[in-house]
Amino acid sequence: MMGDVWILATASLVAVSCSMVGVFLVLRRMSLLGDAISHSVLLGIVLAYLAVGSRSVVAMMIGATAIGLLTAWLSNTLHRVSKLQTDASIGIIFTWFFAVGVILISVYAGQVDLDQECVLYGEIAFVPFDTVIWGETDIGPRAFWLILGVFVLNLLIVLIGFERFKLVAFHPALAVSLGVNVVFWHYLLMTMVSLTTVASFDAVGAILVVALLVIPASAAYLLAKSLKGMLWLAAGYAQLSVLAGYAVAVWLDSSIAASIAVMAGLLLMVTVLVLQALKVRRQGHLAQA
């Protein structure tokens, strides 16, 4: 019973953390860059492990964040220098970094205590078994406290920089004319994405992080009338996805993380269908009038 509580609590924090940064990625049309960072940070994690010889949380956070920022910078630089399209530049850089990470794991398989499938797909069902001991007290899963720390950090950054994020997302040219350091806020967002991604690895893996970054925020985008409304709606969609996904996983005895992502996709599709039905109905009323 307690294990289920920890799993749901961890999944809820992962989902709401991803949806928070996902809102700004969707608004700035940078969803693909979130996908890129969630994959390329694998290289940062492997390099950090090889450097310190352990799965130190701090080392992996630093390594993943550095590679995440490097992915964003190199993608932008390749686009500007070579005139390649933005999506092509992002695709080149993140697949390159991801492939190097996979090769390093393969070459140093005997030394690297990292499971490729765990990094890619995660296994939230095992979260309750890897706990933190404070003194002589077991205070709960390591993954829960890690993603809680990242969630609190992201929340503080968004609360403090809300107006700046809003201005950069909706009016980037105006932000520049007002003297706002757009580059700083861009890379601050990339740092938040990198930290959220690596903190979510244990729970849902790199691939499913992408679903939680993009889908709840996209569903909220279809309904919201303001940035605050979009943030609340994205968090609501994320929590509904977790609860429904967990129920489906228990019912089918299937992967919890995958079920959460599937339910997030279904909620988005239901939203699209309802909005289309309302649009057709409204057009019918106008035609009759």
Side-chain angles (χ1 to χ4, degrees), residues 22-273:
V23 163
F24 296 102
L25 290 176
V26 169
L27 285 175
R28 298 188 63 192
R29 300 180 181 181
M30 295 169 59
S31 300
L32 182 58
L33 192 54
D35 182 7
I37 290 176
S38 70
H39 284 75
S40 62
V41 293
L42 173 65
L43 175 60
I45 292 173
V46 177
L47 290 175
Y49 184 90
L50 291 174
V52 302
S54 71
R55 294 178 61 181
S56 162
V57 171
V58 174
M60 289 194 177
M61 283 287 189
I62 293 173
T65 302
I67 293 297
L69 292 175
L70 186 60
T71 300
W73 180 77
L74 276 179
S75 299
N76 184 49
T77 302
L78 185 62
H79 166 63
R80 286 189 292 102
V81 172
S82 67
K83 304 302 181 186
L84 284 170
Q85 293 181 340
T86 303
D87 56 348
S89 302
I90 293 172
I92 290 168
I93 297 301
F94 95 78
T95 52
W96 182 34
F97 280 1
F98 183 73
V100 173
V102 171
I103 288 174
L104 286 176
I105 290 179
S106 302
V107 172
Y108 296 101
Q111 303 175 35
V112 180
D113 184 24
L114 290 172
D115 184 337
Q116 294 179 48
E117 290 192 0
C118 179
V119 171
L120 291 176
Y121 309 117
E123 187 44 86
I124 198 169
F126 295 155
V127 161
F129 301 108
D130 184 10
T131 58
V132 176
I133 305 298
W134 183 274
E136 297 181 353
T137 305
D138 185 341
I139 61 172
R142 183 175 62 89
F144 170 82
W145 291 108
L146 181 59
I147 190 62
L148 176 62
V150 172
F151 168 72
V152 171
L153 177 63
N154 284 347
L155 183 61
L156 288 174
I157 292 174
V158 170
L159 289 174
I160 294 171
F162 182 80
E163 293 301 329
R164 291 289 187 272
F165 277 122
K166 182 178 177 180
L167 187 60
V168 171
F170 290 103
H171 307 290
L174 177 61
V176 173
S177 68
L178 293 175
V180 174
N181 191 337
V182 175
V183 174
F184 169 78
W185 291 101
H186 170 75
Y187 283 104
L188 181 59
L189 177 60
M190 295 303 103
T191 301
M192 293 164 65
V193 172
S194 300
L195 291 173
T196 304
T197 299
V198 74
S200 304
F201 270 171
D202 281 347
V204 298
I207 292 176
L208 293 177
V209 164
V210 179
L212 294 174
L213 279 173
V214 177
I215 297 177
S218 298
Y221 178 78
L222 298 174
L223 299 173
K225 303 297 182 185
S226 66
L227 178 55
K228 287 182 180 177
M230 188 173 173
L231 285 165
W232 281 110
L233 280 169
Y237 268 101
Q239 294 310 306
L240 277 177
S241 302
V242 168
L243 294 175
Y246 187 75
V248 169
V250 171
W251 177 45
L252 297 176
D253 191 21
S254 61
S255 165
I256 297 172
S259 298
I260 291 171
V262 167
M263 293 312 299
L266 281 177
L267 287 172
L268 173 63
M269 295 308 296
V270 168
T271 302
V272 171
L273 291 175

